[in-house]
Amino acid sequence: MAKGNRGLPPSFKLDIPDQGGPVQLGDYLDEVDAAPVARPAAPRPAPQTTPPAPAEPNAASENVVEFRRPHVATEETPRSVERAEPRPAPQADEPAAPKRRRRRIPKAPPRKQINTTPETQRMIDEIIDYVQTYSIQRDAKASEIFHALVLTLHESLEELDLSNVPARGRWGTPTAQAFPITLKSAFKTAISKSQKKNPR
């Protein structure tokens, strides 16, 4: 299969007229000079202050009748001004409106955390179980039982003598381990003395 000839076809012609020299192109300054100059606008005529002369009655071309509009007095409706009217004071016979009281949110009771050893926790559980088993109140709470214990000791504060309780000392020493036991003995003695004075 024959391949086509590459390049311009033989029928293409480029005719350049012979001017006998290079082409002269204009400068951009020539275009600015050739631009039309804007002329200032003509001043507007001043309005006439004197009325025109009255037309002659015999001139037919000047016979023009002017109809004037009747003058109607238009009254502008004033805009309504909104003013805050003062509320009338309540009379003596009328009952005064009740004041709204803010609802007070009850505060949660303060709580104290007590850290206990596993042995102390076991004894607390046994006390709660004993009270719930052998008392009429089967659902006695731990807070109620603890309150009863604190109430018993608090009533015996006048008889409580802590002069024989030694200092605890460092943690892990024999005196630190014996400190709760000596406190227990002082508490029992104070409760016993208070019970003898005020048997209930």
Side-chain angles (χ1 to χ4, degrees):
M1 184 175 181
K3 295 183 180 179
N5 295 329
R6 298 182 179 180
L8 298 175
S11 60
F12 178 79
K13 294 181 180 181
L14 181 63
D15 297 331
I16 300 175
D18 188 8
Q19 297 181 357
V23 178
Q24 298 293 331
L25 299 178
D27 194 3
Y28 71 95
L29 296 177
D30 298 339
E31 297 178 359
V32 174
D33 296 339
V37 180
R39 297 181 179 179
R44 296 182 180 179
Q48 296 180 359
T49 56
T50 58
E56 297 181 0
N58 295 332
S61 60
E62 299 285 336
N63 192 5
V64 179
V65 181
E66 295 181 359
F67 294 94
R68 296 181 179 180
R69 295 181 179 180
H71 180 71
V72 180
T74 58
E75 297 181 359
E76 296 182 358
T77 57
R79 297 180 180 178
S80 59
V81 180
E82 297 181 357
R83 295 181 180 179
E85 298 180 357
R87 296 181 179 179
Q91 299 180 2
D93 299 339
E94 297 180 1
K99 295 182 180 180
R100 294 183 179 178
R101 296 183 179 179
R102 294 185 178 179
R103 193 174 183 181
R104 295 183 179 179
I105 301 175
K107 296 182 180 179
R111 296 184 179 181
K112 290 187 178 182
Q113 182 179 356
I114 300 177
N115 298 330
T116 61
T117 61
E119 182 66 18
T120 306
Q121 184 66 36
R122 182 188 62 80
M123 290 187 290
I124 292 174
D125 294 338
E126 288 182 0
I127 293 172
I128 296 172
D129 184 66
Y130 190 90
V131 173
Q132 292 178 350
T133 303
Y134 296 101
S135 67
I136 301 175
Q137 195 67 36
R138 301 296 181 181
D139 57 346
K141 299 179 181 179
S143 58
E144 297 172 337
I145 299 173
F146 185 77
H147 178 72
L149 295 174
V150 173
L151 185 61
T152 304
L153 181 59
H154 187 268
E155 291 179 353
S156 306
L157 286 179
E158 295 180 357
E159 306 296 334
L160 183 58
D161 184 12
L162 301 177
S163 59
N164 297 325
V165 178
R168 180 179 63 244
R170 296 182 181 179
W171 291 104
T173 59
T175 54
Q177 297 175 0
F179 183 73
I181 299 174
T182 53
L183 277 179
K184 178 223 21 169
S185 300
F187 291 164
K188 288 177 64 175
T189 304
I191 294 172
S192 178
K193 291 181 180 180
S194 177
Q195 182 66 24
K196 290 178 181 180
K197 287 184 177 181
N198 300 316
R200 301 186 198 182

